[in-house]
Amino acid sequence: MGREVASALGRWFVLESFPVRAELVAVCDLVEKQREWFRQVPTVRLLTDDYHELLNSPEVDVVYVAVPHHLHERIYLDVLKAGKDLFAEKPFGIDLRAARTIAEAAASSGRFVRCSSEFPFLPGVQRACQVVP
């Protein structure tokens, strides 16, 4: 998923009249070989195997989290505690209790939180939605 998001961010410039320009500046992955792939992305300045290092970076405003479902609650809460906006993968928690805990933290954090597939935001999909009535 990380490579797909990097690819989507790399194509972000094609969106017309879009209010922000996204830039991938940091990547966390436990697997060194996976992290190394991101060296080819010219905007990446931080590669780490510790997501706390990413959360402590003042260059990071928004965090996209793609981890196994049982890790969602812990990492989503850490992202919000760090004062970062969150793009979360579905499901929003491994169970109803976790989902409620995350939702409460999101509401009280004042941060932007979105939990979904980011597919609709890919430039190609955006263009197709403009063309097809």
Side-chain angles (χ1 to χ4, degrees):
M1 289 305 300
R3 288 182 184 192
E4 185 58 38
V5 168
S7 175
L9 293 176
R11 296 185 311 269
W12 205 274
F13 69 93
V14 303
L15 296 175
E16 294 181 13
S17 302
F18 206 73
V20 297
R21 293 288 176 218
E23 184 178 77
L24 182 63
V25 298
V27 173
C28 177
D29 198 301
L30 296 176
V31 180
E32 184 175 358
K33 183 178 179 185
Q34 300 291 12
R35 282 193 313 272
E36 289 302 312
W37 182 89
F38 290 92
R39 287 200 187 279
Q40 67 186 309
V41 179
T43 56
V44 171
R45 295 181 284 281
L46 171 63
L47 292 171
T48 183
D49 64 353
D50 181 356
Y51 76 93
H52 294 99
E53 186 177 353
L54 185 143
L55 295 180
N56 288 326
S57 172
E59 290 190 273
V60 175
D61 299 316
V62 180
V63 179
Y64 169 75
V65 181
V67 296
H69 298 158
H70 70 284
L71 298 174
H72 286 188
E73 180 180 12
R74 182 180 76 208
I75 295 176
Y76 292 0
L77 294 176
D78 286 348
V79 169
L80 295 171
K81 285 180 199 168
K84 310 293 184 182
D85 293 331
L86 171 65
F87 279 158
E89 278 293 324
K90 55 198 180 316
F92 204 48
I94 194 71
D95 55 26
L96 182 57
R97 184 209 52 79
R100 286 182 173 154
T101 300
I102 296 165
E104 288 169 10
S108 66
S109 74
R111 304 307 305 184
F112 176 84
V113 176
R114 179 179 181 89
C115 179
S116 69
S117 169
E118 298 311 316
F119 182 74
F121 296 97
L122 298 176
V125 177
Q126 289 279 313
R127 180 70 178 126
C129 289
Q130 292 170 352
V131 172
V132 177

